[in-house]
């Protein structure tokens, strides 16, 4: 029985699982978004997010720690040079998982896993943050028609 075992083994031995997660993490870092199964995406998220947190501080030690997980120097360079500065002010939650349906061949549930700050389409369509109305600011809304009448009078 698997009581209190939180790790999804993905049907693999530990060495194969580590290699699979390293490969998925490298592809995610290099391409900023990948499509995989939901189980792999959920296993990948806690694997990658601590590495992203380590990349915020660019030291030799952190680069070597991240390299020991990813095993790809191009992915490490991309993570420290491109991704880390863009997510420097974010306190966590660097990835998002979007369910996309089922795979044609075996009906596995598929998902898109991507960096939150690198989705240009979502960033462009996101509404700008508006100020929340408080009781004091509602009084200013009543004065708004007067401001509209002034340009009309000219």
């Amino acid at each position: 029985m698997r009581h209190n075992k939180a790790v999804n083994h993905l049907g693999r031995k530990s060495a194969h699982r580590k290699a699979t997660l390293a490969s998925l993490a490298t592809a995610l870092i290099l391409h900023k978004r990948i499509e995989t199964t939901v189980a792999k995406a959920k296993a990948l998220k806690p694997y990658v997010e601590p590495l992203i947190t380590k990349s915020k501080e660019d030291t030799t030690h952190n680069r070597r720690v991240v390299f020991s997980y990813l095993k790809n120097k191009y992915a490490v360079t991309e993570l420290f040079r491109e991704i880390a500065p863009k997510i420097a002010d974010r306190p966590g939650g660097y990835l998002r998982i979007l369910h996309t349906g089922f795979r044609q061949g075996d009906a596995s549930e598929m998902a898109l896993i991507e960096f939150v700050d690198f989705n240009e389409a979502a960033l462009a369509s996101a509404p700008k943050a508006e100020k929340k109305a408080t009781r004091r600011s509602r009084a200013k809304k009543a004065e708004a028609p007067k401001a509209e009448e002034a340009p009309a009078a000219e």
Side-chain angles (χ1 to χ4, degrees):
M1 287 199 202
R2 297 188 60 248
H3 296 303
N4 294 328
K5 308 278 193 261
V7 176
N8 186 349
H9 298 288
L10 300 174
R12 292 160 166 82
K13 301 286 184 183
S14 63
H16 187 191
R17 183 171 53 255
K18 288 176 187 174
T20 300
L21 290 174
S23 177
L24 285 169
T26 299
L28 177 65
I29 289 168
L30 293 177
H31 300 293
K32 311 298 186 279
R33 142 191 321 191
I34 56 172
E35 186 172 10
T36 183
T37 62
V38 172
K40 287 179 189 169
K42 286 181 177 180
L44 183 62
K45 193 172 179 180
Y47 184 86
V48 173
E49 289 198 346
L51 301 180
I52 298 169
T53 302
K54 283 195 185 307
S55 72
K56 288 182 178 182
E57 185 181 351
D58 192 0
T59 63
T60 304
H61 176 68
N62 283 347
R63 280 182 177 264
R64 287 177 177 171
V65 169
V66 170
F67 181 78
S68 72
Y69 281 87
L70 296 180
K71 299 167 183 63
N72 185 320
K73 65 182 179 182
Y74 301 110
V76 173
T77 303
E78 179 78 12
L79 181 62
F80 279 86
R81 284 194 187 156
E82 304 294 328
I83 296 172
K86 198 160 183 180
I87 52 96
D89 57 341
R90 183 177 284 275
Y94 312 110
L95 301 175
R96 102 170 31 104
I97 298 174
L98 302 169
H99 295 258
T100 58
F102 298 94
R103 188 160 51 196
Q104 182 69 33
D106 60 355
S108 295
E109 194 172 2
M110 299 299 286
L112 194 71
I113 183 165
E114 65 183 4
F115 284 97
V116 173
D117 294 330
F118 282 85
N119 187 352
E120 290 82 13
L123 292 175
S125 66
K128 301 295 180 188
E130 297 179 13
K131 290 185 175 180
K132 292 185 178 180
T134 62
R135 291 179 184 245
R136 292 183 183 200
S137 66
R138 287 187 186 148
K140 293 179 184 175
K141 288 185 181 177
E143 296 173 11
K146 292 180 185 177
E148 292 175 9
E149 292 172 8
E154 294 176 10

